[in-house]
């Protein structure tokens, strides 16, 4: 049953309108937990939309059964990923503020109330407010209660921070102004895993404000079936790297070398380590990971502002991996007793 608590009153005297959008893709095992958390809010949402992103018929039927018990709207579309599903939900809604929720996560009872109350009064360029999360396993068992504030800087104040580090602004713990969202064209649907960093960076660049609430509002359930794992995340990461490269060409006259100083320190360890892991496990994606590393290396080699030492070490790494067998990589890893990511950071730093 929908809570009856009245929403907080804005400075203009009218309650802010909020829509909650939940992308759904074959997630019948989790969706009831997510939906239930939305309808248990201390301040209710004005609209709740579950976007069926091309799920199997039996999974879609599970939504129909759930909708008989909870008053949410189902929106059907062809499969296009989370970003595409969220965009469709926004387009089908009318509320002034947007909240998102992944199908395997769930809100704490004061999610909407906390974020709405953090909207600055009379801020004509309000972009988004975001908060912390609980980390939990697939069953919702809490692992830690402060994820966001332990990573990166909050709130966001510098484009250099946004490029050098993962943002740790998660859609499931955010409230976004429709005005800002539409001004940047919403989520870029080519990404699966980096669509959130991309969206919030573009909102920042448009001059919209952001606020951080040092309080958990969502339970983030991480498991091997989530978007954070697997080949889709690897592909998305490389696409995002290349998009940032196009958005931020080096500015020699201003002494700003984006590839060397921000993008390489952030992404280099991932690209090399993913290639190592693919070889070590003899993954079916070994060729693809090697191709990603080779393309990344070509970009680095072509940049005149990256030092010779860094280029040489990357070239040596590339040559070694191209001629390594899974057994050789496993042997080196066992001998050094260092995780791949740490070995590669040493290679990069020299």
């Amino acid at each position: 049953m929908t809570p009856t608590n009245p929403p907080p009153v804005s400075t203009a005297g009218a309650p802010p309108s909020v829509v909650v959008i939940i992308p759904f893709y074959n997630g019948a095992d989790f969706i009831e937990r997510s939906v239930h958390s939305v309808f248990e809010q201390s301040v209710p949402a004005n609209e709740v939309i579950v976007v069926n992103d091309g799920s199997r018929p039996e999974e879609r039927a599970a939504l129909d059964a759930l909708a008989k018990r909870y008053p949410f709207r189902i929106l059907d579309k062809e499969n296009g990923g989370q970003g595409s599903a969220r965009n469709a939900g926004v387009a089908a809604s009318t509320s002034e503020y947007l909240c998102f929720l992944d199908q395997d996560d769930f809100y704490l009872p004061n999610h909407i109330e906390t974020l709405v109350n953090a909207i600055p009064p009379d801020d004509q360029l309000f972009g988004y407010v975001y908060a912390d999360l609980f980390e939990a396993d697939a069953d919702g068992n809490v692992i830690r209660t402060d994820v966001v504030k332990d990573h990166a800087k909050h709130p966001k104040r510098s484009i250099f921070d946004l490029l050098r580090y993962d943002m740790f602004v998660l859609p499931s713990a955010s409230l976004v102004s429709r005005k800002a969202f539409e001004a940047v064209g919403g989520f870029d649907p080519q990404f699966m895993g980096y669509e959130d960093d991309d969206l919030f960076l573009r909102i920042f660049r448009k001059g919209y404000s952001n606020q951080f609430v040092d309080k958990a509002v969502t339970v983030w359930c991480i498991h091997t079936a989530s978007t954070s794992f697997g080949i889709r995340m690897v592909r998305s990461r490389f696409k995002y790297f290349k998009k940032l490269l196009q958005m931020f060409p080096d500015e020699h006259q201003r002494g700003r070398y984006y590839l060397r100083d921000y993008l390489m320190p952030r992404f280099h360890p991932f690209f090399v380590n993913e290639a190592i892991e693919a070889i070590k496990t003899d993954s079916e994606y070994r060729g693809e990971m090697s191709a990603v590393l080779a393309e990344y290396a070509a970009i680095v080699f072509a940049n005149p502002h990256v030092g010779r030492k860094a280029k040489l070490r990357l070239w040596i790494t590339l040559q070694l991996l191209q001629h390594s067998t899974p057994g050789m990589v496993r042997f080196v890893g066992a001998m050094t007793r260092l995780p791949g990511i740490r070995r590669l950071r040493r290679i990069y730093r020299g």
Side-chain angles (χ1 to χ4, degrees):
M1 183 175 180
T2 305
T4 57
N5 306 56
V9 177
S10 70
T11 54
S17 57
V18 177
V19 58
V20 174
I21 297 165
I22 308 175
F24 176 83
Y25 179 69
N26 297 333
D29 290 343
F30 303 104
I31 190 64
E32 181 170 1
R33 183 176 65 184
S34 298
V35 167
H36 179 78
S37 75
V38 173
F39 287 99
E40 287 294 310
Q41 288 294 295
S42 58
V43 169
N46 300 81
E47 305 172 84
V48 181
I49 301 175
V50 177
V51 183
N52 174 40
D53 192 35
S55 299
R56 297 189 300 269
E58 63 271 22
E59 296 279 334
R60 174 60 174 80
L63 281 185
D64 280 330
L66 193 62
K68 294 177 180 178
R69 293 186 285 126
Y70 296 94
F72 62 85
R73 175 183 172 190
I74 301 173
L75 178 66
D76 292 299
K77 63 180 290 295
E78 293 183 357
N79 181 257
Q82 278 191 322
S84 172
R86 290 170 182 152
N87 288 344
V90 172
S93 67
T94 60
S95 295
E96 183 180 6
Y97 297 106
L98 318 171
C99 284
F100 303 98
L101 179 59
D102 291 352
Q103 65 184 15
D104 46 1
D105 299 336
F106 57 97
Y107 286 163
L108 293 173
N110 57 356
H111 178 282
I112 295 175
E113 180 179 13
T114 298
L115 295 180
V116 165
N117 286 339
I119 300 172
D122 302 320
D123 183 355
Q124 298 302 309
L125 284 174
F126 170 70
Y128 58 91
V129 56
Y130 64 108
D132 217 320
L133 311 95
F134 289 177
E135 178 188 343
D137 61 20
D139 294 326
N141 299 309
V142 175
I143 297 170
R144 53 177 172 164
T145 59
D146 51 357
V147 177
V148 169
K149 69 180 179 183
D150 287 342
H151 300 84
K153 295 181 180 178
H154 309 290
K156 305 305 177 183
R157 294 290 180 262
S158 167
I159 196 67
F160 307 111
D161 266 346
L162 274 59
L163 295 175
R164 173 63 181 84
Y165 304 101
D166 288 345
M167 290 182 65
F168 279 88
V169 181
L170 279 79
S172 289
S174 306
L175 179 145
V176 184
S177 159
R178 176 181 292 273
K179 178 181 177 181
F181 185 90
E182 293 180 345
V184 300
F187 289 99
D188 186 335
Q190 71 171 309
F191 301 123
M192 290 185 179
Y194 275 86
E195 71 275 9
D196 45 0
D197 275 28
D198 175 70
L199 173 75
F200 294 118
L201 180 144
R202 287 184 287 115
I203 291 176
F204 178 91
R205 291 193 79 201
K206 279 287 188 180
Y208 289 96
S209 67
N210 68 94
Q211 308 291 326
F212 174 62
V213 178
D214 188 2
K215 177 180 180 180
V217 297
T218 304
V219 180
W220 182 27
C221 301
I222 303 178
H223 51 96
T224 54
S226 65
T227 309
S228 302
F229 293 85
I231 189 63
R232 292 188 305 167
M233 174 62 102
V234 174
R235 292 167 179 162
S236 183
R237 181 181 292 117
F238 192 50
K239 288 179 181 179
Y240 186 51
F241 165 78
K242 290 193 289 185
K243 181 174 182 177
L244 292 177
L245 200 64
Q246 292 179 340
M247 291 171 65
F248 296 93
D250 288 338
E251 300 177 69
H252 180 65
Q253 291 183 336
R254 305 181 73 179
R256 292 175 178 171
Y257 304 107
Y258 294 99
L259 174 64
R260 184 192 71 191
D261 296 339
Y262 305 105
L263 302 185
M264 284 181 67
R266 178 179 180 182
F267 293 102
H268 175 103
F270 287 108
F271 297 148
V272 184
N273 191 56
E274 284 157 0
I276 285 180
E277 290 301 313
I279 294 171
K280 185 170 68 175
T281 60
D282 201 16
S283 166
E284 62 180 304
Y285 301 110
R286 175 177 174 178
E288 184 176 353
M289 295 300 93
S290 296
V292 165
L293 180 59
E295 186 177 349
Y296 164 72
I299 292 169
V300 172
F301 296 153
N303 187 289
H305 305 299
V306 177
R308 293 181 179 179
K309 188 175 181 180
K311 289 180 177 178
L312 177 60
R313 290 189 175 276
L314 177 55
W315 182 84
I316 292 172
T317 301
L318 195 62
Q319 297 303 309
L320 288 173
L321 293 181
Q322 286 177 346
H323 298 90
S324 296
T325 65
M328 290 170 60
V329 174
R330 287 193 294 267
F331 175 76
V332 171
M335 290 297 292
T336 58
R337 294 185 181 179
L338 289 173
I341 197 74
R342 291 172 60 190
R343 291 200 306 277
L344 297 167
R345 285 175 177 165
R346 290 178 62 189
I347 289 172
Y348 174 69
R349 293 172 181 167

